[in-house]
Amino acid sequence: MKEASPGSEENAPMVPADHCICRSSAWKDWETMDFSEAMKEMQTNWIGKSSGAEIDFAIKGHGQKLRVYTTRPDTIFGVDFMVIAPELDLVNEIKSAAQTAAVDEYLAYVKSRSERERMAEKKISGVFTGAMLIILLMEGNSHLDI
């Protein structure tokens, strides 16, 4: 992993979205990096403080499962849809024939934007893949759009 200076997009290590987990052990002496004291305190208070559950959802008509982490598993009963990162290979594996054109168009749009542009964009965007998650906890095995 390359060392990156804060705010330096070109030096930042790029990893697939499904592997983006920040741990203090990933960077040695992260406390000495050029961050504000408030940021260092937030990181110190956040790291290792989360407890929750990993939940696997079956994807209707596919052999894959989608694993999510939540600190509030009780909120699953109120979920209307599931969002996944467009960088995941899973997107192309689960898109339906009917949604292929829309998904491909959206992926092209996302790839045309820099990470900074995407983060600064105020508009939330996405497209239905045509796939559905199966929620086994609900009566009748409810399905969610992905």
Side-chain angles (χ1 to χ4, degrees):
M1 178 182 281
K2 295 190 299 185
E3 238 181 76
S5 59
S8 175
E9 184 175 311
E10 61 275 355
N11 291 332
M14 295 299 292
V15 294
D18 61 339
H19 291 88
C20 288
I21 299 171
C22 182
R23 293 190 177 155
S24 62
S25 60
W27 290 355
K28 291 184 179 179
D29 301 321
W30 69 271
E31 297 91 350
T32 63
M33 296 179 81
D34 188 22
F35 287 115
S36 70
E37 289 304 314
M39 178 62 76
K40 290 178 189 178
E41 184 178 348
M42 282 191 330
Q43 279 292 102
T44 300
N45 292 336
W46 175 78
I47 293 171
K49 302 286 183 179
S50 180
S51 60
E54 287 185 337
I55 302 170
D56 288 333
F57 292 98
I59 301 173
K60 186 177 180 183
H62 297 272
Q64 298 99 322
K65 290 185 177 184
L66 181 62
R67 176 169 288 173
V68 299
Y69 173 82
T70 180
T71 57
R72 295 287 313 272
D74 58 309
T75 61
I76 289 173
F77 300 104
V79 174
D80 293 321
F81 59 91
M82 184 71 65
V83 176
I84 59 176
E87 295 85 3
L88 291 176
D89 292 336
L90 182 64
V91 173
N92 283 313
E93 295 170 16
I94 64 172
K95 66 184 176 185
S96 68
Q99 289 300 113
T100 295
V103 170
D104 291 347
E105 182 179 327
Y106 184 73
L107 292 176
Y109 167 74
V110 169
K111 288 178 184 175
S112 73
R113 319 255 312 151
S114 73
E115 190 69 22
R116 183 169 292 162
E117 289 172 320
R118 286 176 59 194
M119 289 173 52
E121 196 169 271
K122 301 290 185 218
K123 181 184 86 175
I124 296 172
S125 65
V127 66
F128 178 46
T129 62
M132 304 287 279
L133 288 181
I134 301 170
I135 302 181
L136 299 174
L137 300 173
M138 293 183 173
E139 190 176 319
N141 294 337
S142 275
H143 297 87
L144 290 179
D145 296 349
I146 304 174

